[in-house]
Amino acid sequence: MWFLNKMCTSKVCLDDKTVVITGANSGIGKETARDLYARDARVILACRNMEMANEAVEDIKNNPPSSLKSVKDCAKNLLTNEAAIHILINNAGVVAYPSYEKTEDGNEMTLQVNYLGHFLLTLLLLPKMQKSSPNCRIVNVSSLAHFYPNVAKR
């Protein structure tokens, strides 16, 4: 598919921008963080696992169940410690848990991680983002996994 091999070629300097990326310890989120960091953005990796996040930070600099509480804690930390947030990239995601699994909030795991968590974080950060810049941006990342419905049979 022709659209699977496209890359961002922007070289825009982002030295005055703060970017928050969920799920940035691996995959698309990590590579997005790598690119934005290389363009001097202040990149905040919002990840469930701090050890993996710290490993990702080191990797970027050098070449368990989710809960809505963790989303709220992340938002509270960002709202308290960041003067501005210009770009939010909702990237965190999971694919095809082998069995039906509920989070401690009572939601199905995939639904909560891929949708509800992003929605909650966006709602909590939006007022600060709007105050940070009239040109703030929210990017919601998705995958093509829906084209392969037989990958995960429950």
Side-chain angles (χ1 to χ4, degrees):
M1 293 185 217
W2 63 269
F3 53 86
L4 292 179
N5 60 3
K6 299 295 181 184
M7 290 185 63
C8 175
T9 57
S10 175
K11 301 297 178 203
V12 173
C13 183
L14 300 171
D15 63 350
D16 60 342
K17 303 295 183 201
T18 298
V19 182
V20 176
I21 307 176
T22 64
N25 60 298
S26 64
I28 293 170
K30 184 175 176 182
E31 295 310 312
T32 301
R34 186 185 315 277
D35 178 73
L36 298 175
Y37 178 78
R39 294 194 278 138
D40 295 325
R42 182 165 193 281
V43 181
I44 299 168
L45 282 61
C47 305
R48 292 179 289 162
N49 182 313
M50 288 305 298
E51 182 178 328
M52 290 176 68
N54 290 331
E55 289 174 11
V57 167
E58 288 305 311
D59 180 51
I60 289 167
K61 285 182 177 179
N62 298 317
N63 183 41
S66 176
S67 72
L68 294 178
K69 181 185 180 313
S70 70
V71 174
K72 291 174 188 174
D73 290 345
C74 176
K76 182 179 178 182
N77 183 24
L78 292 168
L79 293 172
T80 301
N81 296 313
E82 296 305 318
I85 300 172
H86 302 96
I87 302 168
L88 169 62
I89 301 175
N90 287 314
N91 169 73
V94 295
V95 152
Y97 275 100
S99 62
Y100 182 84
E101 189 174 335
K102 281 193 171 188
T103 66
E104 64 186 58
D105 302 296
N107 301 306
E108 192 275 328
M109 177 69 73
T110 306
L111 174 68
Q112 184 163 312
V113 173
N114 294 356
Y115 301 101
L116 301 178
H118 293 162
F119 185 74
L120 178 59
L121 185 63
T122 300
L123 285 177
L124 295 171
L125 297 183
L126 190 57
K128 179 176 268 298
M129 292 181 71
Q130 290 172 323
K131 288 178 185 174
S132 299
S133 169
N135 296 317
C136 65
R137 296 286 183 258
I138 299 169
V139 178
N140 293 309
V141 178
S142 65
S143 76
L144 296 175
H146 65 281
F147 283 120
Y148 308 101
N150 294 325
V151 170
K153 293 188 178 194
R154 296 187 193 249

